[in-house]
Amino acid sequence: MKNYSVILLLAIFSSCASVKKHNEQRASRIPPEQLKEDVDFAYSKLQQMHPQLYWYIPRKELERKFDSLKQTITEPLTPLQFYFKLQPVIAGIREGHLSLRIPRKKFTKEEIKRLEHQKGMFSRFEYYISGDRMYIIQNKDSIEHIKPGTEILSINNVPVSDYIKKYRSLISSDGDNTTFHPYFLKDLFFNFYTAENGFDSKATLETLYNGKKRTYTLTRETKSDSDLEKDKEMQKKTPEKKLNDYVASSNSYNRSFRFLDKDSTIAYIKVKSFSRDYSDKFYKKAFASINHSKSSYLIIDVRNNYGGSLYEINNLYSYLADAPFTLIKPSQLTSRNAPLRTNYFRKSTPLEYALKSIAYPSYFLAQTFSTYKKDGKVFYKMKADKPTKPKKEAFHGKVFVLINGGSFSASSIITAKLKNDKRATLVGEETGGANDGTVAGFYSYQKLPNSEIRFPIGLLLVQPNINFSDSRKGVVPDVTIIENMQDIIDQKDPQLDWIINEIAKEKEKENKSK
């Protein structure tokens, strides 16, 4: 028992020392020559591992960007200052999954516990970004009675437009796509902001609403006992929460299913993230219900879905296909040893490290035999690049899919496939992810040697099994309908409404022809 106590104390002290060391390193200023070494290191690793590095940017242009960056580094910088210089160059590669990790401050367990007992200051609002302007579109807690549609002009006397211009350059998007930025930026804005300014306990907002300017002071309030009890309740996993993949942080479900009419002819499935968790059971139950109800129409909503599991989208497609299909083309790697660069021991505790060490030979063999060479190129074996049979409960009616600029990665792969196969009518806005695929799959988590900034690099070229558009754009909808801010504030859904109206017209035609 005494030995366990000693081990626990050592672990606590080690953790505290690690946090302190990290924060000291984050505050240190790194000499220019060492930062230039980090630039060269980042580019070297990209050349070694990224299977489609020059997809959207010519080699000479990228080399010029890296060389120009090095010329601007003339004085010592902190890792965060260096991040704000290097990330725009990485974003300029225009491959949406490719991004440096923000060198954030780490917190001790005591600090984390204190923050958990406080309400968020900015996270309690929902935001909308248009151009260089930011608006509050939802204020569930009625904080300071700020009304939806209020524009935030400045935070602590710094114009929001300045932040937006700065942060937009940090966001990677696929190719020439422009729809992705406002969706991703509204979600990441305060990640960037707090990395720069810290978790302050107070902030002053200058706002504009109906032509009138007002100033509000936000504070980080302490949670009440009932708030903390509610948090505990939200963390509990019920069968329903598991099935629909509940996310406690947002108090919402990743997946949901319902009928939109009384006679169950219109089924509606919304997927916020292809997380894979309990997805087999969810789709099996949903499509059994759809078949039992003999629904004629199915609407799949992947708006604001940043992607996720290939396994899940392959499984979902098997409920939509009329014949055997192959979801993706063979996934290319830069070399046969690329799968072994995935940082197998990353974030392992001492016990996990020991167990993984025992299992490593099996892992090594599995990864080695998962690659093969064809026509001088290296590929990785994936279930989704093999023919898949439709499910017995597959839906054979008419399918509509809702998409927007927040539909990224796996969402773009499945919608590109559905469009190519003429299996669905896509409604909404061009997707944020590319029509012709992306580089992701799994990652090699690199660390720049001097700034210690983390740099995950996708290792697989994942492309839908389609005739490529070569457009350098996202998946373009069959019917373009743009949702505006007022629609969101008024809880209107013009994109979904268009589908409902279209179905009503089809039903009316059917009734007249009878």
Side-chain angles (χ1 to χ4, degrees):
M1 190 70 180
K2 191 181 290 185
N3 288 338
Y4 287 126
S5 299
V6 170
I7 292 170
L8 180 61
L9 284 170
L10 286 172
I12 292 169
F13 290 140
S14 174
S15 175
C16 292
S18 174
V19 169
K20 184 181 178 183
K21 183 180 177 183
H22 171 88
N23 290 336
E24 286 175 349
Q25 192 277 333
R26 183 179 177 273
S28 66
R29 292 188 173 272
I30 302 160
E33 290 309 311
Q34 290 185 6
L35 295 173
K36 290 174 185 179
E37 287 176 9
D38 279 7
V39 173
D40 290 336
F41 178 89
Y43 187 33
S44 172
K45 291 300 178 184
L46 283 169
Q47 290 174 306
Q48 289 175 29
M49 298 184 210
H50 197 283
Q52 195 69 299
L53 184 57
Y54 308 109
W55 195 351
Y56 299 118
I57 185 170
R59 182 180 189 127
K60 286 185 178 179
E61 184 182 339
L62 183 55
E63 287 175 351
R64 187 166 61 249
K65 279 178 176 285
F66 277 116
D67 288 340
S68 297
L69 170 63
K70 287 193 288 185
Q71 289 174 23
T72 69
I73 301 173
T74 57
E75 59 184 10
L77 302 173
T78 66
L80 185 63
Q81 290 170 331
F82 179 55
Y83 167 85
F84 279 109
K85 276 185 166 288
L86 178 55
Q87 177 54 29
V89 176
I90 301 299
I93 295 169
R94 288 179 283 181
E95 203 288 292
H97 289 82
L98 197 59
S99 183
L100 300 166
R101 291 291 180 260
I102 307 171
R104 305 178 66 89
K105 176 187 174 182
K106 280 189 177 180
F107 296 96
T108 63
K109 289 181 179 179
E110 291 77 14
E111 289 172 326
I112 292 170
K113 191 172 182 180
R114 187 168 66 250
L115 286 169
E116 286 175 346
H117 280 70
Q118 294 176 337
K119 295 181 181 181
M121 195 159 58
F122 298 113
S123 61
R124 293 160 72 193
F125 298 106
E126 293 291 332
Y127 302 93
Y128 182 91
I129 287 179
S130 177
D132 295 334
R133 304 168 81 173
M134 172 184 273
Y135 302 85
I136 290 172
I137 57 169
Q138 194 173 44
N139 182 7
K140 285 184 179 178
D141 296 341
S142 194
I143 303 163
E144 294 289 335
H145 304 291
I146 299 173
K147 294 181 180 179
T150 296
E151 181 180 358
I152 305 175
L153 300 176
S154 68
I155 306 173
N156 293 334
N157 299 315
V158 178
V160 165
S161 58
D162 290 356
Y163 284 123
I164 289 176
K165 289 170 187 173
K166 182 179 183 180
Y167 298 159
R168 186 184 288 115
S169 70
L170 306 173
I171 293 177
S172 301
S173 181
D174 284 345
D176 298 332
N177 174 279
T178 57
T179 60
F180 183 61
H181 286 87
Y183 290 93
F184 205 45
L185 182 53
K186 74 175 176 61
D187 289 342
L188 284 191
F189 182 93
F190 287 102
N191 283 11
F192 296 134
Y193 178 87
T194 54
E196 277 196 282
N197 300 287
F199 284 80
D200 291 335
S201 58
K202 186 168 69 173
T204 301
L205 303 185
E206 184 188 9
T207 67
L208 179 67
Y209 182 76
N210 280 349
K212 293 182 180 179
K213 288 186 179 181
R214 284 197 61 179
T215 299
Y216 297 95
T217 300
L218 302 183
T219 56
R220 199 175 289 279
E221 302 170 25
T222 301
K223 291 180 181 179
S224 65
D225 290 340
S226 61
D227 289 328
L228 294 171
E229 195 59 40
K230 186 180 177 182
D231 287 348
K232 284 182 183 178
E233 196 62 33
M234 286 165 61
Q235 294 291 343
K236 290 179 182 177
K237 288 283 187 181
T238 64
E240 182 193 7
K241 285 182 176 180
K242 289 178 180 178
L243 181 68
N244 297 295
D245 193 16
Y246 178 74
V247 181
S249 60
S250 60
N251 191 24
S252 64
Y253 295 98
N254 269 336
R255 288 182 292 268
S256 59
F257 163 70
R258 60 192 169 98
F259 293 105
L260 298 184
D261 55 350
K262 291 180 180 178
D263 57 0
S264 302
T265 58
I266 308 172
Y268 174 84
I269 292 175
K270 182 169 181 61
V271 190
K272 290 184 178 180
S273 173
F274 292 112
S275 64
R276 182 169 177 173
D277 293 341
Y278 297 93
S279 62
D280 285 348
K281 192 173 181 181
F282 172 84
Y283 293 118
K284 186 176 182 179
K285 186 175 179 179
F287 281 95
S289 182
I290 291 168
N291 273 279
H292 177 75
S293 301
K294 297 181 180 178
S295 304
S296 302
Y297 302 93
L298 171 61
I299 301 169
I300 300 174
D301 190 345
V302 293
R303 291 175 296 182
N304 306 305
N305 180 327
Y306 290 143
S309 166
L310 272 176
Y311 173 90
E312 181 171 340
I313 61 171
N314 193 65
N315 186 38
L316 172 55
Y317 203 96
S318 69
Y319 283 102
L320 305 173
D322 295 318
F325 67 95
T326 302
L327 183 71
I328 62 171
K329 294 183 182 292
S331 299
Q332 193 177 332
L333 299 153
T334 55
S335 65
R336 298 200 72 158
N337 68 353
L340 299 173
R341 295 178 172 177
T342 54
N343 312 84
Y344 176 73
F345 294 102
R346 180 173 170 265
K347 290 188 175 180
S348 298
T349 64
L351 178 59
E352 288 169 341
Y353 191 95
L355 294 172
K356 284 183 175 180
S357 296
I358 296 169
Y360 185 76
S362 299
Y363 166 81
F364 178 87
L365 288 172
Q367 290 293 68
T368 301
F369 287 110
S370 290
T371 63
Y372 64 96
K373 260 193 168 184
K374 186 177 180 181
D375 300 327
K377 297 178 181 178
V378 180
F379 298 93
Y380 189 81
K381 296 175 185 176
M382 305 272 281
K383 183 179 179 181
D385 68 21
K386 304 292 186 295
T388 301
K389 292 180 180 178
K391 290 282 197 296
K392 289 181 180 179
E393 298 280 5
F395 177 75
H396 301 294
K398 190 161 186 177
V399 180
F400 293 90
V401 180
L402 287 161
I403 56 174
N404 66 8
S407 306
F408 185 71
S409 191
S411 296
S412 297
I413 289 171
I414 190 170
T415 50
K417 178 66 174 168
L418 286 164
K419 183 175 181 179
N420 179 85
D421 294 354
K422 295 180 172 56
R423 183 63 189 97
T425 300
L426 309 187
V427 179
E429 179 185 34
E430 178 192 341
T431 64
N435 184 87
D436 293 354
T438 190
V439 174
F442 44 78
Y443 294 80
S444 178
Y445 291 85
Q446 297 298 311
K447 183 170 76 171
L448 308 191
N450 300 300
S451 61
E452 298 188 13
I453 293 175
R454 305 285 172 172
F455 187 22
I457 300 173
L459 301 177
L460 284 181
L461 173 60
V462 182
Q463 296 182 283
N465 185 32
I466 62 172
N467 297 316
F468 294 138
S469 67
D470 297 320
S471 65
R472 299 163 60 98
K473 301 276 282 180
V475 185
V476 177
D478 299 297
V479 180
T480 299
I481 299 171
I482 307 299
E483 180 184 59
N484 60 43
M485 183 178 73
Q486 198 59 47
D487 291 328
I488 299 169
I489 291 171
D490 295 340
Q491 297 184 350
K492 292 180 179 178
D493 192 337
Q495 296 161 339
L496 179 58
D497 288 346
W498 184 91
I499 296 174
I500 299 297
N501 290 334
E502 189 68 14
I503 291 172
K505 289 177 188 176
E506 288 189 13
K507 284 183 176 181
E508 190 177 344
K509 282 182 183 177
E510 287 176 12
N511 291 333
K512 284 182 179 179
S513 64
K514 286 180 181 178

